[in-house]
Amino acid sequence: MIYTQTNNFPRIAYNKTGSGPSVMLIHGFPERNTLWRNLVPLLADRYMLITPDIPGTGESLPGSEQTSIEGMAHFIKAIIDNEKIEEIIIVGHSMGGYIALAFAALYPENVGGLSLVHSTANEDSDEKKHTRMKTVQLIRNGAKDMFLNQMVPNLFAAHFKEYHPDLLDEQITRGKEVNSESMMAFNIAMAERPDRKQILRDATFPIQWIIGKEDMVIPCKETLAQSTLSNTTFVSIYEECGHMSMLETPGKLAADLDRFFNYCFKI
Ligand code: MLT
């Protein structure tokens, strides 16, 4: 692990693996950087992969800017500056994609490509905002484990969860490791994030969409509609895949990321 810090983030922890052009892989909620463990060995011979624990997860301490998605984009920028990287491809899974979009809005000059893995540029619907506030209330009342037990099975495609109960258990355990304050902060940050479709329309860098046909968190229809907004777009739709292609179909995801990175870096 590599550690750095800023005034707002007392400990920023990330792994750096492999060599080649730089790629940042941002995990989602409620995970940590080990989410990418199946992908890193498949890509590290061609790219330098940075996998942070976002603030309040894994070895990164909670920070004062964790209550906004922009704040977490500043966290990503601190890593890029620490590594003295000028151009990087940002891959964001779900909430990691919301952070990646905020990063692209704040620091477009650093972005060589943006890969949105089961993510969306839409803001939350009123209904979803309401659900998030109920989740915050539940967690505040001590029902974090109950929330995780209900949430995690919805992340996977039906046939997958039947055959991989171990992976579901692991995701629940990962979620339990995130403290309640951080869980609440992430929900508030997600509920308050703005619509980012203008980033897609204005993008001068290529954009990739990885979409699970059985994704119950971010429906296929919603992301497909956004994929037509940018100039240069790569779209992959995975049949029989939910919200977690890095666990459900890692080989396929690695091949699609590799194709996208190759295009962005013109290797
Ligand atoms: C995630 O996987 O990061 C979250 O489920 C995203 C969300 O709730 O919008």
Side-chain angles (χ1 to χ4, degrees):
M1 269 292 191
I2 298 172
Y3 303 97
T4 183
Q5 65 183 94
T6 66
N7 288 343
N8 295 325
F9 295 108
R11 189 170 73 208
I12 295 175
Y14 59 96
N15 277 319
K16 189 168 92 168
T17 316
S19 59
S22 310
V23 176
M24 171 81 64
L25 297 154
I26 311 174
H27 66 82
F29 166 86
E31 326 276 345
R32 64 164 301 188
N33 68 354
T34 48
L35 181 78
W36 303 110
R37 65 179 185 275
N38 295 333
L39 289 191
V40 169
L42 300 176
L43 296 165
D45 62 333
R46 295 182 293 296
Y47 308 101
M48 201 262 279
L49 305 166
I50 298 183
T51 51
D53 281 334
I54 65 166
T57 75
E59 292 196 42
S60 290
L61 293 175
S64 58
E65 284 197 87
Q66 183 184 347
T67 43
S68 82
I69 296 290
E70 286 81 2
M72 289 190 275
H74 295 142
F75 171 97
I76 297 297
K77 176 66 172 164
I79 297 174
I80 288 171
D81 288 349
N82 196 46
E83 291 294 329
K84 302 188 173 40
I85 292 169
E86 283 182 7
E87 190 177 86
I88 190 160
I89 292 182
I90 312 272
V91 180
H93 173 234
S94 201
M95 185 176 79
Y98 312 156
I99 299 170
L101 281 158
F103 183 90
L106 290 164
Y107 309 107
E109 67 282 1
N110 292 135
V111 182
L114 180 65
S115 176
L116 297 164
V117 180
H118 314 296
S119 195
T120 174
N122 284 342
E123 65 183 322
D124 278 352
S125 64
D126 287 344
E127 190 190 343
K128 192 138 189 187
K129 283 185 186 157
H130 183 69
T131 308
R132 296 222 202 261
M133 290 311 140
K134 271 175 42 191
T135 301
V136 169
Q137 204 53 48
L138 266 180
I139 297 170
R140 188 169 287 129
N141 292 339
K144 184 174 92 172
D145 291 4
M146 191 184 95
F147 161 71
L148 288 166
N149 291 334
Q150 281 173 1
M151 178 208 172
V152 168
N154 290 334
L155 299 177
F156 296 91
H159 82 286
F160 186 88
K161 65 183 152 204
E162 193 179 329
Y163 294 106
H164 299 277
D166 48 321
L167 277 176
L168 265 74
D169 287 347
E170 187 194 319
Q171 291 313 111
I172 292 172
T173 305
R174 280 295 86 73
K176 286 182 182 168
E177 286 164 4
V178 179
N179 73 35
S180 297
E181 285 303 317
S182 292
M183 291 274 271
M184 291 190 282
F186 293 142
N187 272 283
I188 293 165
M190 287 192 279
E192 291 182 347
R193 76 186 195 279
D195 182 289
R196 297 270 186 207
K197 289 198 286 298
Q198 200 54 40
I199 301 298
L200 306 177
R201 294 187 192 100
D202 294 345
T204 53
F205 41 80
I207 297 189
Q208 179 178 44
W209 295 90
I210 301 292
I211 301 172
K213 199 84 184 279
E214 290 188 37
D215 190 339
M216 284 188 281
V217 182
I218 297 174
C220 178
K221 251 205 212 139
E222 175 178 338
T223 30
L224 259 187
Q226 294 168 47
S227 68
T228 58
L229 297 178
S230 332
N231 263 337
T232 309
T233 313
F234 283 55
V235 182
S236 300
I237 303 177
Y238 298 165
E239 299 286 333
E240 297 188 348
C241 177
H243 190 63
M244 306 296 285
S245 56
M246 67 297 297
L247 299 174
E248 294 175 86
T249 55
K252 229 189 228 182
L253 177 60
D256 282 334
L257 289 176
D258 193 17
R259 236 187 315 276
F260 180 67
F261 300 166
N262 249 285
Y263 178 84
C264 294
F265 291 126
K266 317 243 179 310
I267 324 181

